[in-house]
Amino acid sequence: MSKFNKDSIGGTLTVVVLLSLICSLIVAGAAVLLKPTQEVQKQLDKQKNILQVTGLMQPNIDVQAVYAKNIEAKLVDLNTGDYVDGPANFDAKAAVKDPAQSVALSAEEDLAGIRTRANLAEVYLVKADDGQVKQIVLPVYGRGLWSTMYGFISIQPDGNTVNGITYYEHGETPGLGGEIENPRWQAQFEGKKLLNEQGQPALHVGKGAAADKEHGIDAISGSTLTSNGVDHSFKFWLGQKGFGPYLAKLKAGAN
């Protein structure tokens, strides 16, 4: 049997292949082992953002305990606006990619630039100690200049008045479109109305829009396309292909 020569081309390739295989096994093993921890952290981050938009996020709180006490997640059929039963671990991003759980949007319908929309959406009921619903948190997302912008909007049980918004995931330019994270800009939304008297989406973002005291939000300076993305996102999610049917039922006291 010939002696293995690690300095030969064949020997070098063999060493490289073995090292690559070992590294791949280590990386794969680490990914498997870390996945449960990553899922827990992902869930914790979502809970923090929901508490943030509701005003319940305070320094040094037990996030999971406060969330469990005050927040009830429910699934809504976006086509009807009704609450429905579904999996406890509903994954909205996975549902969007599944043709059986989503619907393709036409160019005319797709104001938010998302192409498809899941049939169900998870909403979050914020309850006081007496069990009364004080706020409802809706997930919203849509295309900005560089990225899909994910956020939450908190509304009052009347289905029309905004308590606050937050954006928690996006890739917009820091200092420009990234200002959607700025609390001072987000504060403009507080108290604004989502819909007009006819029940049509009326909340809008644009240059000088704050002159409309009831529905308007000033655009972010120097970030027209990001601001347009926020505006279009709300127009979609407040409309008939978004939470429109659900908001109508809230307003009528049917939910």
Side-chain angles (χ1 to χ4, degrees), residues 47-82:
Q47 292 176 356
K48 286 180 179 178
N49 283 295
I50 292 171
L51 294 182
Q52 184 70 42
V53 78
T54 61
L56 294 175
M57 188 66 187
Q58 301 296 329
N60 303 317
I61 66 168
D62 183 331
V63 171
Q64 292 175 314
V66 173
Y67 183 92
K69 178 183 177 182
N70 295 279
I71 309 295
E72 179 186 3
K74 302 196 75 167
L75 286 175
V76 171
D77 183 330
L78 292 176
N79 295 313
T80 65
D82 294 322

Side-chain angles (χ1 to χ4, degrees), residues 140-193:
V140 294
Y141 65 96
R143 287 293 301 177
L145 173 59
W146 303 113
S147 66
T148 299
M149 305 176 293
Y150 293 89
F152 291 115
I153 180 169
S154 172
I155 63 174
Q156 294 182 15
D158 64 3
N160 195 29
T161 306
V162 181
N163 285 332
I165 72 160
T166 187
Y167 278 95
Y168 61 90
E169 182 182 336
H170 67 86
E172 300 303 284
T173 307
L176 294 172
E179 287 296 290
I180 57 172
E181 291 186 39
N182 190 321
R184 288 181 296 175
W185 182 76
Q186 294 178 357
Q188 293 185 78
F189 286 81
E190 296 173 14
K192 295 296 170 70
K193 301 297 183 181

Side-chain angles (χ1 to χ4, degrees), residues 173-219:
T173 307
L176 294 172
E179 287 296 290
I180 57 172
E181 291 186 39
N182 190 321
R184 288 181 296 175
W185 182 76
Q186 294 178 357
Q188 293 185 78
F189 286 81
E190 296 173 14
K192 295 296 170 70
K193 301 297 183 181
L194 302 177
L195 312 171
N196 59 23
E197 293 181 357
Q198 291 73 44
Q200 300 300 313
L203 189 72
H204 61 106
V205 179
K207 185 176 180 179
D212 178 353
K213 301 296 185 183
E214 193 167 26
H215 306 106
I217 309 295
D218 272 339

Side-chain angles (χ1 to χ4, degrees), residues 78-102:
L78 292 176
N79 295 313
T80 65
D82 294 322
Y83 293 125
V84 295
D85 294 328
N89 58 342
F90 177 73
D91 187 334
K93 290 185 178 181
V96 166
K97 297 176 182 178
D98 182 356
Q101 300 183 67
S102 62

Side-chain angles (χ1 to χ4, degrees), residues 82-122:
D82 294 322
Y83 293 125
V84 295
D85 294 328
N89 58 342
F90 177 73
D91 187 334
K93 290 185 178 181
V96 166
K97 297 176 182 178
D98 182 356
Q101 300 183 67
S102 62
V103 60
L105 301 168
S106 69
E108 182 179 348
E109 294 168 335
D110 190 17
L111 300 176
I114 58 177
R115 298 186 180 180
T116 58
R117 186 221 67 192
N119 295 322
L120 304 180
E122 196 168 44

